[in-house]
Amino acid sequence: MSYVKAEDILPKELIEAIQQYVDGRSIYIPTKERQDWGTKTDTRRFLKERNEEIYESYMQGLSSHELAVKYALSIKSVQRILRNQRMARMDRAE
């Protein structure tokens, strides 16, 4: 993230009003239109495919521990993925 000087883009009156609340400190101003996580990259798709693969491997007999080692995850993470995949499949079946 790059920073922009407020003096370069905001009117002096607005800067003075903001200084009443955050004089000299950095603040984050979010964008108007918030984008969902993972929309700019393939990460969301990658994780979805990985999690489905983990579930399929579990259904074929691999243990949580084996999956944790194979995917470099904690056992708790694998268990969370399995639980979420099971719930998602139950929702789709309804």
Side-chain angles (χ1 to χ4, degrees), residues 6-45:
E7 297 88 16
D8 294 344
I9 59 170
L10 299 175
K12 185 177 185 206
E13 301 80 26
L14 182 55
I15 293 172
E16 290 171 355
I18 293 170
Q19 284 172 330
Q20 292 176 9
Y21 299 95
V22 290
D23 191 22
R25 296 186 318 195
S26 297
I27 62 170
Y28 170 76
I29 300 174
T31 61
K32 287 182 183 179
E33 295 180 23
R34 186 172 172 97
Q35 294 182 342
D36 289 336
W37 177 86
T39 55
K40 291 185 176 183
T41 66
D42 289 334
T43 304
R44 177 181 270 175
R45 182 185 51 79

Side-chain angles (χ1 to χ4, degrees), residues 9 11 15 18 23 28 30 32 35 46 48 55-59 68 75-76 81 86 88 91 93:
I9 59 170
I15 293 172
I18 293 170
D23 191 22
Y28 170 76
K32 287 182 183 179
Q35 294 182 342
F46 168 79
K48 181 179 186 298
Y55 187 78
E56 289 301 321
S57 296
Y58 179 78
M59 295 305 290
I75 293 173
K76 288 287 185 192
I81 290 166
R86 190 176 311 116
D91 288 344

